Amino acid sequence: MTDNKLSIDRPAIESLLTRRFFYAPSFAIYGGVAGLYDYGPTGTALQQNLINMWRQHFVIEEDMLEVDCSIMTPSEVLKTSGHVDKFADWMCKDTKSGDIFRADHLVEAVLEARLEGDVLARKLAGASIADANAAEVTADAADAKKDKKNKKKGGPVVATKLDDSVVAEYQNILAQIDNYDGEGLGELITRFDIRNPATGNEVTKPVEFNLMFDSSIGPTGQLKGYLRPETAQGQFLNFSRLLEFNNQKMPFASAMVGRSFRNEISPRQGLLRVREFTMAEIEHYVDPQNKDHPRFDEVADIKLNLLPGSVQLTGSTDTVQMTIRDAVAQGIIDNKTLGYFMGRIHLYLMAIGIKHDLLRFRQHLNNEMAHYACDCWDAEIKNSYGWIECVGCADRSAYDLTVHSNRTNQKLCVRENLTEPYIYEKLVCEPNSKVFGPKLKRAAKPVLEHLESMSPADLSAVKDAMASDGKATVTLAGTVADGTYEITAEMVTIENKTFTEYTREYTPNVIEPSFGIGRILYSLLEHSYSVRPDDEQRAVLSFNPAVAPFKCLILPLSNHASFKKPLLDVARRLRTNGVPARVDDAASVSIGRRYARNDELGTPFAITVDFDTAKDGTVTLRERDSTNQIRASIDEIVDMVKNLVAGNATWDDALSKYPLVSTTAAE
């Protein structure tokens, strides 16, 4: 594997996830559809726990306003937002087989395969690589042995030495691959002879492909609609209602969890690139003149692994570790509110179990910046597929509220009383109605609207032209009276006037953290996966108790009749206290095997009912990662599990209170 990918036995973990039905391809008995997945009981519970923690961490702790908006969206809404014209990826096609590729992914995969071949060739030749810590690239060959079906996207790695200058050029391109547009990707494909890795055939020039699923609303089919590509637009359109609900107070945030849809060109990589997925999005509305955050100091000293755009443009992917405070002060992160949410995102990902050294924040380059954003950072998590964008944190400026307001003539703005009146001068154009209207006739209204919409500099130029030449010309386009018109001093008066305002009206800017729950879930699965040191066939998912799908396993030592009542009693008491518990009473299977198969589900604790239970009412409590066990009364163990799951106690606390017990059952 390269340093950009997590070294893990991916075929083994994918086998586990399928076998234990965390998730599986949808409609499988009909052959399945790429990019669509069904979650099983364990995956559903895990996803819901991630959402519950997200809701606690953001919605509740930040006092956000949660909404639930329509999935089906009229075309006019998404036309206004820019998605109809700009929500697209670059696609190319095998000229003979017709295979479809996302252009940037194809270039990336082929160049990475060539670099890995270069590293392998140098290693085989006994040469050192001056600039790399990439000797472990050859682990990809081991992956191929483990899973013959898991073909490399860039084709087989062939040991071929490249010139040092070519290596440097490839690395520079890969460091800023997201910065290339369609023309740039086409030039790379031609220049480096990028072909379909599977067939060796040439591919077409990249063309744009809109990612939205279109549909029609109503029986006539005349109202065009789309399945929403994000949850944000519903929140923006309800801004005025949300502001009123919040008693006109700023700043505030809305939040939403829901399904979104994107017609991916070539969905691959399991849950990482799908066509239907769960998003959790926040829209934080802030005064554009004051993007400070009152709780900034709470996160200011958190150190993040940052990959700024300026570093990427040098061809490097080396991260810089610095505090959020320093990053904002140096202008690397644009403002304190953006920095605050990056800190909160970091804390959430740490809380669910993402590893710190496998998380970085990468700044978007100009060409990849969304059409609405003025600054954006992705929280990228490293897994076996590489660095994967899992959370976007964008400053959308006032784009969305402004375009929707302009299109609908509905004000989506904030009005606030000023502590002191605001006095200012403004250049104003006033028509002489006795001359202006009769002279311009049907063009009078659009010409006046044009003059009133002019910037101060343009309006001043009209005034100067009338003063020097006695007239000025204005040109209208896109109106009912397009053309060029003469404006004279007798038609209008343009002069500075003094205004006093007691209220301020402004369109808020929006800071948007956007979470891809499926991507986070898959990355967490890889970060939590391991095998027992003494038995590689025994897999363990080391979820922390808060996110674990099932918190506690309850099992009898055997199928002895005396075990049934305490078994059901323990299960009832745990579930009544809100602790998801799973009973495994298949006594025909050894207790060690039952422990093992629930370790695969990530269940952190196990309560065993045995012959001592019938005698003295005690049970054992096993901790998954250490496999250590303690014994106490049912009351004490149930109470301990409640505290362990709630985060009010640790396993070390349990060990300090109760002695370890030896077990005769084979682990």
Side-chain angles (χ1 to χ4, degrees):
M1 295 266 180
T2 67
D3 284 342
N4 286 328
K5 297 178 181 177
L6 181 63
S7 180
I8 193 170
D9 189 349
R10 191 197 302 155
I13 188 172
E14 288 180 346
S15 173
L16 182 154
L17 298 176
T18 302
R19 177 166 47 83
R20 303 314 304 269
F21 195 16
F22 277 78
Y23 59 87
S26 300
F27 320 112
I29 64 174
Y30 280 88
V33 179
L36 300 177
Y37 287 89
D38 296 332
Y39 285 74
T42 314
T44 299
L46 178 59
Q47 176 177 248
Q48 192 57 53
N49 289 342
L50 294 179
I51 292 171
N52 290 344
M53 288 188 67
W54 180 90
R55 187 171 277 117
Q56 173 63 41
H57 187 81
F58 291 103
V59 178
I60 295 175
E61 292 184 19
E62 303 281 351
D63 193 24
M64 295 177 175
L65 308 180
E66 188 169 7
V67 296
D68 187 7
C69 302
S70 174
I71 288 174
M72 183 60 73
T73 307
S75 173
E76 188 176 11
V77 172
L78 294 168
K79 178 71 174 175
T80 301
S81 69
H83 286 81
V84 170
D85 297 323
K86 300 176 182 178
F87 195 71
D89 280 336
W90 294 99
M91 175 182 74
C92 56
K93 183 188 296 187
D94 185 309
T95 55
K96 295 180 180 179
S97 71
D99 291 345
I100 301 294
F101 300 91
R102 184 168 144 178
D104 58 334
H105 289 176
L106 176 63
V107 172
E108 187 175 27
V110 171
L111 295 189
E112 283 183 345
R114 292 178 185 177
L115 286 175
E116 292 177 11
D118 172 74
V119 171
L120 184 58
R122 293 177 187 240
K123 189 170 185 180
L124 291 174
S128 63
I129 304 172
D131 62 346
N133 294 315
E136 14 176 350
V137 164
T138 52
D140 277 330
D143 276 350
K145 292 180 182 177
K146 292 175 185 174
D147 183 23
K148 294 181 181 178
K149 296 182 290 185
N150 193 19
K151 298 177 182 177
K152 287 197 66 66
K153 293 183 297 177
V157 175
V158 179
T160 304
K161 187 176 182 299
L162 304 172
D163 289 340
D164 290 347
S165 61
V166 174
V167 171
E169 188 172 18
Y170 282 4
Q171 291 173 338
N172 183 64
I173 291 168
L174 291 173
Q176 47 186 316
I177 189 66
D178 293 317
N179 204 31
Y180 288 93
D181 58 13
E183 183 179 353
L185 290 168
E187 290 175 357
L188 293 177
I189 288 170
T190 301
R191 181 180 172 193
F192 296 111
D193 193 25
I194 304 293
R195 296 170 177 254
N196 180 346
T199 65
N201 298 331
E202 293 182 348
V203 296
T204 61
K205 290 183 178 180
V207 295
E208 274 194 307
F209 175 76
N210 192 284
L211 298 176
M212 292 193 295
F213 285 100
D214 62 357
S215 185
S216 59
I217 303 172
T220 65
Q222 294 179 357
L223 179 56
K224 186 176 177 61
Y226 294 93
L227 299 182
R228 66 184 180 207
E230 60 179 15
T231 68
Q233 297 306 315
Q235 298 183 61
F236 297 139
L237 299 184
N238 283 294
F239 170 76
S240 294
R241 291 187 176 95
L242 290 166
L243 180 64
E244 182 179 1
F245 184 88
N246 204 49
N247 298 319
Q248 307 294 324
K249 291 189 298 184
M250 285 284 292
F252 74 95
S254 61
M256 181 174 165
V257 180
R259 290 282 187 169
S260 294
F261 305 83
R262 298 182 184 181
N263 195 11
E264 290 287 350
I265 293 170
S266 52
R268 297 185 178 95
Q269 303 177 338
L271 297 183
L272 301 184
R273 190 159 296 281
V274 294
R275 289 172 167 148
E276 178 183 350
F277 51 94
T278 299
M279 298 184 75
E281 290 192 300
I282 295 164
E283 310 302 335
H284 180 86
Y285 305 98
V286 63
D287 186 339
Q289 295 182 8
N290 180 14
K291 291 189 178 180
D292 290 347
H293 196 285
R295 296 178 60 187
F296 177 75
D297 286 341
E298 295 178 24
V299 302
D301 295 321
I302 294 174
K303 288 187 176 181
L304 301 180
N305 297 318
L306 300 177
L307 181 54
S310 58
V311 173
Q312 297 170 66
L313 290 174
T314 67
S316 173
T317 56
D318 294 335
T319 58
V320 179
Q321 189 176 90
M322 66 171 60
T323 65
I324 297 172
R325 188 190 308 277
D326 289 343
V328 171
Q330 295 176 31
I332 296 172
I333 297 174
D334 186 70
N335 57 76
K336 288 184 176 181
T337 296
L338 188 61
Y340 174 76
F341 278 106
M342 289 171 66
R344 292 290 290 168
I345 291 166
H346 171 88
L347 291 174
Y348 169 73
L349 295 175
M350 294 298 100
I352 65 173
I354 296 300
K355 296 180 179 178
H356 180 271
D357 58 332
L358 302 179
L359 172 65
R360 73 181 185 188
F361 286 83
R362 185 185 69 83
Q363 190 173 33
H364 279 208
L365 300 174
N366 288 338
N367 275 351
E368 65 172 314
M369 196 86 74
H371 60 272
Y372 48 72
C374 63
D375 191 18
C376 184
W377 292 79
D378 286 341
E380 296 184 332
I381 301 174
K382 186 177 180 181
N383 60 39
S384 63
Y385 290 100
W387 286 102
I388 303 298
E389 169 201 349
C390 293
V391 187
C393 193
D395 185 336
R396 296 179 74 127
S397 64
Y399 173 84
D400 299 276
L401 295 178
T402 299
V403 295
H404 287 305
S405 178
N406 291 341
R407 178 66 184 85
T408 62
N409 292 320
Q410 298 289 321
K411 286 194 172 183
L412 300 175
C413 60
V414 177
R415 298 175 188 83
E416 60 180 25
N417 294 325
L418 299 175
T419 54
E420 295 182 2
Y422 175 49
I423 302 172
Y424 64 96
E425 285 194 347
K426 181 181 178 181
L427 200 60
V428 176
C429 174
E430 291 187 343
N432 180 349
S433 57
K434 293 182 179 179
V435 180
F436 193 83
K439 190 140 188 171
L440 294 177
K441 298 183 173 57
R442 63 188 294 268
K445 183 178 179 181
V447 169
L448 180 59
E449 289 176 347
H450 179 78
L451 290 169
E452 290 175 342
S453 67
M454 279 184 165
S455 68
D458 290 340
L459 192 57
S460 180
V462 171
K463 179 183 179 182
D464 293 342
M466 289 193 302
S468 60
D469 302 331
K471 64 180 180 180
T473 59
V474 296
T475 301
L476 271 59
T479 71
V480 296
D482 290 355
T484 300
Y485 299 91
E486 284 190 356
I487 308 298
T488 64
E490 66 174 346
M491 296 168 65
V492 297
T493 301
I494 300 175
E495 60 184 6
N496 278 316
K497 287 196 170 184
T498 300
F499 293 86
T500 301
E501 291 186 355
Y502 298 91
T503 60
R504 176 183 168 226
E505 184 175 287
Y506 65 89
T507 302
N509 280 199
V510 178
I511 307 297
E512 179 193 71
S514 177
F515 297 72
I517 299 299
R519 291 184 172 193
I520 295 171
L521 183 150
Y522 179 78
S523 298
L524 177 62
L525 286 166
E526 284 201 358
H527 287 202
S528 304
Y529 177 82
S530 64
V531 295
R532 296 290 182 196
D534 56 344
D535 187 352
E536 290 190 0
Q537 299 304 310
R538 291 187 58 183
V540 180
L541 287 172
S542 298
F543 299 130
N544 68 47
V547 301
F550 305 106
K551 313 302 184 187
C552 190
L553 168 69
I554 310 164
L555 68 169
L557 185 63
S558 69
N559 59 0
H560 195 276
S562 63
F563 297 161
K564 186 172 182 179
K565 186 176 182 301
L567 187 75
L568 296 177
D569 179 51
V570 171
R572 178 188 58 77
R573 292 169 67 172
L574 284 174
R575 291 166 182 164
T576 301
N577 283 281
V579 178
R582 189 167 186 266
V583 174
D584 189 343
D585 56 0
S588 59
V589 180
S590 73
I591 193 167
R593 176 59 188 142
R594 282 180 280 159
Y595 284 147
R597 66 189 184 189
N598 283 278
D599 290 345
E600 290 181 337
L601 300 179
T603 308
F605 307 109
I607 295 174
T608 304
V609 175
D610 55 21
F611 290 104
D612 286 337
T613 308
K615 295 178 184 177
D616 57 16
T618 62
V619 291
T620 62
L621 177 63
R622 172 186 182 269
E623 193 270 337
R624 176 199 58 218
D625 295 340
S626 66
T627 73
N628 289 333
Q629 297 191 32
I630 59 173
R631 177 176 286 277
S633 69
I634 290 176
D635 286 344
E636 290 175 296
I637 292 297
V638 167
D639 191 57
M640 177 57 69
V641 171
K642 283 167 48 184
N643 286 322
L644 288 167
V645 169
N648 298 326
T650 65
W651 184 244
D652 285 339
D653 294 332
L655 293 179
S656 68
K657 190 172 182 180
Y658 305 103
L660 284 173
V661 297
S662 59
T663 60
T664 56
E667 276 285 345

